[in-house]
Amino acid sequence: MSRTALVTGGTRGIGAAISIGLKEAGYTVAASYAGNDEAANAFKAETGIEVYKFDVGDFQSCQDAIAKIEGEVGPIDVLVNNAGITRDAMLHKMTIDQWRDVMSTNMDSLFNTTKNVIDGMRERGFGRIINISSINGQKGQMGQTNYSAAKAGLVGFTKALAQEGARKGITANAVAPGYIATEMVKAIPEDVLNKQILPYIPVGRLGEPEEIARCVAFLASDEAGFITGSTITVNGGQYFAS
Ligand code: NDP
């Protein structure tokens, strides 16, 4: 029987590539999203992957949705915490709502989803938790105190969970992408991209969502059972995290 994976924010961007990559690797995949029904329905029609709408920042919504997913699709063996948002502003101009929205979606979500799958993983003696961080959680980024804090906090969560799960066959790892060619990044004016972004990426190009997806698929596999508590940096050499 194939293993089941839940990819949060799995209907667009990097998450969509991860959902598709895991499906191609033989997993039964459920992809979650927040509110963009049009994108989610198009993704479902194109891929055949089931989609579920719930707010990863809300504990009760996650509890209800995960119970529904496990009932319909199967017990979750692989959880990819990918859903994330930015609400950029310099700290002196940042509002409490910008801070809280980013913490809710990028940080509270880790507890809200993982808490609802961890018991089953412990009982079955197998689990893979893969958390999507960011280069900006590693190096910091002007205008992103909220996002950088959340993405760095995610790494601490991953390391602690790795220790808790190790004897139960559960690994927890993070992947830290650099600039990836999603719609958001492609929307940056060509001039800005060519002058202010690409020169700082030693490989000379943006990353592709599929390059993150392949990394996630490897971490999800049985072959990656000895890798836990790690952060895999995928940024074209833009920043070397120690
Ligand atoms: P996108 O904005 O393309 O997609 C985000 C996905 O997350 C969507 O499916 C969205 O749903 C969902 N989502 C957003 N908020 C919530 C919420 N509260 N509850 C449930 N789902 C939610 O993101 P990217 O592909 O660009 O980024 C994916 C991850 O990778 C994020 O964690 C991001 O921080 C990280 N990252 C991205 C980089 C990049 O270059 N793009 C670089 C480094 C890290 P809906 O469609 O309904 O809005």
Side-chain angles (χ1 to χ4, degrees):
M1 216 179 79
S2 77
R3 289 197 168 124
T4 298
L6 169 61
V7 182
T8 68
T11 58
R12 287 202 288 123
I14 293 172
I18 294 170
S19 298
I20 293 166
L22 289 174
K23 188 183 177 198
E24 286 173 355
Y27 295 84
T28 303
V29 179
S32 88
Y33 69 106
N36 189 335
D37 296 317
E38 200 183 330
N41 290 334
F43 173 80
K44 180 180 171 173
E46 201 178 304
T47 62
I49 292 171
E50 286 301 328
V51 298
Y52 294 86
K53 178 159 71 171
F54 60 94
D55 179 5
V56 294
D58 183 77
F59 182 77
Q60 192 60 52
S61 301
C62 290
Q63 192 169 43
D64 295 346
I66 287 170
K68 184 171 151 66
I69 293 167
E70 293 206 314
E72 290 179 3
V73 185
I76 293 164
D77 304 303
V78 177
L79 170 65
V80 185
N81 284 309
N82 165 78
I85 57 166
T86 52
R87 296 286 183 269
D88 295 355
M90 301 281 275
L91 184 68
H92 64 278
K93 291 188 176 164
M94 187 176 288
T95 65
I96 187 68
D97 284 346
Q98 286 174 314
W99 175 267
R100 284 189 180 140
D101 285 352
V102 166
M103 286 299 155
S104 168
T105 302
N106 299 20
M107 183 79 129
D108 293 353
S109 59
L110 300 172
F111 177 83
N112 296 342
T113 56
T114 313
K115 171 77 180 163
N116 285 300
V117 301
I118 202 75
D119 285 348
M121 289 179 175
R122 291 177 71 89
E123 278 159 24
R124 294 189 299 278
F126 179 87
R128 296 282 186 266
I129 311 286
I130 300 154
N131 300 321
I132 307 302
S133 182
S134 166
I135 185 174
N136 293 346
Q138 297 174 305
K139 70 172 187 57
Q141 176 60 42
M142 191 166 77
Q144 290 193 329
T145 49
N146 49 3
Y147 184 81
S148 298
K151 291 301 191 183
L154 174 152
V155 171
F157 174 92
T158 306
K159 289 177 178 174
L161 186 64
Q163 294 176 41
E164 294 183 8
R167 290 195 183 276
K168 294 284 182 185
I170 302 167
T171 66
N173 291 288
V175 176
Y179 276 90
I180 306 299
T182 57
E183 277 168 35
M184 186 179 74
V185 173
K186 280 188 213 158
I188 297 172
E190 208 177 320
D191 192 44
V192 175
L193 198 63
N194 288 337
K195 288 194 180 140
Q196 293 175 29
I197 295 178
L198 290 178
Y200 299 99
I201 304 176
V203 303
R205 65 171 176 85
L206 298 173
E208 294 297 330
E210 291 73 20
E211 293 182 295
I212 307 302
R214 282 194 288 275
C215 196
V216 169
F218 173 64
L219 289 173
S221 70
D222 284 355
E223 287 79 2
F226 204 56
I227 303 175
T228 194
S230 294
T231 299
I232 302 199
T233 296
V234 190
N235 64 23
Q238 189 178 353
Y239 181 75
F240 299 120
S242 57

